Amino acid sequence: MKLTPLQKRAERRARNQSHVDMNLVALIDIFTILIFFLLSSATGVEILPSHKAVKLPYSTAEAAPHETVVVTVSAEDILVDGRVVATVDEVMAAEGDLIAPLQAELERLRTQRKVIREENEAASRAVTVMGDRQIPYRLLRKVMYTAARADFTDVSFAVIRKYEAS
């Protein structure tokens, strides 16, 4: 039986056609989630992890925060990157300004961080203190003194930015 050119073309097309069905709804869902994730993580705002018991002071600071070791001072505890290292009562009762457990934890973190480039050395010596606005200055002085003794030379304070009407 002889096929017409139209029938030959239809047969060739049927032979070359693959039967793969693609569910575009699932792909659209995946891309939507991916775009949402990329947009939410691409914001230029740095958010420091916050302890619920710490009420930060207000400031008109202009400098944006950068990623550092975070020392949180609440009314009850002193935490380094979320780990409790000392209680405020013990620290306030102790003589002198050095907080030994805080110094040990900061030195441990300092030795863990490897600095590859020399220009990043200053950033590895940075610490951010998140102190409750009600903590006494004596406690804050002890934390700063201990951070300096642990070779953290760049001490920053976390604050809530207060916007002024212009």
Side-chain angles (χ1 to χ4, degrees):
M1 159 168 154
K2 191 163 183 173
L3 298 175
T4 66
L6 190 61
Q7 290 172 330
K8 286 181 185 178
R9 187 180 307 152
E11 188 177 304
R12 194 172 39 241
R13 185 174 179 181
R15 188 177 53 231
N16 293 337
Q17 187 178 30
S18 62
H19 296 288
V20 177
D21 291 331
M22 214 174 206
N23 189 354
L24 291 180
V25 174
L27 285 176
I28 291 172
D29 289 345
I30 291 170
F31 283 121
T32 303
I33 291 170
L34 182 64
I35 288 172
F36 176 78
F37 173 76
L38 290 175
L39 288 176
S40 65
S41 65
T43 61
V45 177
E46 284 285 332
I47 298 175
L48 294 172
S50 178
H51 194 269
K52 292 177 185 167
V54 177
K55 291 182 177 38
L56 295 176
Y58 290 96
S59 174
T60 56
E62 294 296 323
H66 50 279
E67 189 174 331
T68 63
V69 174
V70 178
V71 177
T72 306
V73 183
S74 69
E76 296 88 25
D77 297 318
I78 298 175
L79 301 95
V80 176
D81 284 343
R83 291 182 46 203
V84 177
V85 293
T87 63
V88 171
D89 294 335
E90 292 172 350
V91 170
M92 293 302 282
E95 292 294 321
D97 284 341
L98 187 67
I99 306 169
L102 177 59
Q103 182 182 15
E105 182 67 17
L106 287 174
E107 286 175 348
R108 184 186 70 77
L109 287 174
R110 178 104 170 88
T111 57
Q112 278 183 347
R113 292 181 172 210
K114 302 279 188 239
V115 179
I116 297 171
R117 301 176 80 187
E118 192 173 313
E119 55 266 15
N120 294 337
E121 179 68 28
S124 72
R125 295 175 184 239
V127 64
T128 301
V129 177
M130 290 183 67
D132 191 89
R133 56 182 110 149
Q134 300 298 323
I135 62 171
Y137 175 73
R138 194 171 126 221
L139 176 60
L140 192 59
R141 186 184 73 216
K142 287 184 176 200
V143 170
M144 291 188 305
Y145 178 80
T146 304
R149 287 295 195 161
D151 203 23
F152 282 87
T153 54
D154 183 12
V155 178
S156 302
F157 295 98
V159 295
I160 296 174
R161 184 179 291 171
K162 179 171 57 174
Y163 295 101
E164 296 178 4
S166 38

